[in-house]
Amino acid sequence: MSDAPRYWMPEYVERFVEALNDDDAFQDTAGSFSETIELCCLDTPDDEDVSATYTFEGGQVTDADVWIDEAPSEQMREEGVDTDAVMARATAPYDVWVQMDQGEMGATEAIASPDYKIDGSMMQIMSNMGVFRGMMSVAADVEKTY
């Protein structure tokens, strides 16, 4: 297991993208989903904030960008969401992402948590909850270390 990447590091994001694109159940759920989603993780064990932006075209991730900055990253934490470029941005501390990844917290619980912030059109987000739940399910199955 020593070659397993650490959660939220660029190597993990690469494996996550491969898993999303190769997972038949996720592909069935994602269907024609063509949007950009940004996920932000605050206060990783390396004292960094990490932003991963995933661009989907027809259910496939066609681009993934990772931005890592020293925590607390003023720019990452205070930057507004460009809703013309990003459908949704979800931001939470590392420990909340770990709880979701390990199945201790579901998407609905996360949205209700004061530690989890979601920006974007709530109507669009809710109508695409299957995609978000599918992403969480695939992420949980990607081999990683915490």
Side-chain angles (χ1 to χ4, degrees):
M1 184 146 160
S2 61
D3 71 333
R6 188 145 52 94
Y7 193 40
W8 278 93
M9 293 295 94
E11 298 79 15
Y12 166 80
V13 171
E14 285 176 27
R15 289 195 187 181
F16 179 45
V17 167
E18 289 171 13
L20 287 169
N21 288 341
D22 292 342
D23 188 282
D24 291 336
F26 178 76
Q27 289 301 306
D28 287 345
T29 299
S32 62
F33 185 74
S34 298
E35 297 285 352
T36 299
I37 296 170
E38 182 181 1
L39 305 178
C40 295
C41 178
L42 309 178
D43 301 314
T44 70
D46 292 329
D47 294 322
E48 296 171 327
D49 289 346
V50 180
S51 170
T53 304
Y54 302 91
T55 301
F56 289 84
E57 294 292 333
Q60 290 277 307
V61 179
T62 58
D63 189 42
D65 293 312
V66 179
W67 170 30
I68 300 173
D69 202 4
E70 186 178 321
S73 170
E74 260 185 62
Q75 186 179 1
M76 194 180 298
R77 293 178 185 221
E78 295 175 14
E79 187 175 80
V81 178
D82 178 359
T83 54
D84 290 333
V86 176
M87 181 193 96
R89 177 173 67 190
T91 305
Y94 184 81
D95 63 330
V96 171
W97 287 111
V98 169
Q99 286 175 36
M100 289 190 296
D101 193 65
Q102 294 178 335
E104 297 167 7
M105 180 185 291
T108 308
E109 289 173 290
I111 290 172
S113 167
D115 294 326
Y116 185 93
K117 180 180 178 202
I118 193 152
D119 296 293
S121 162
M122 204 45 80
M123 182 80 83
Q124 265 192 304
I125 292 164
M126 296 312 286
S127 67
N128 288 290
M129 278 306 289
V131 173
F132 290 106
R133 284 191 186 99
M135 288 177 72
M136 287 174 61
S137 177
V138 171
D141 289 341
V142 173
E143 187 179 357
K144 70 188 83 61
T145 61
Y146 297 103

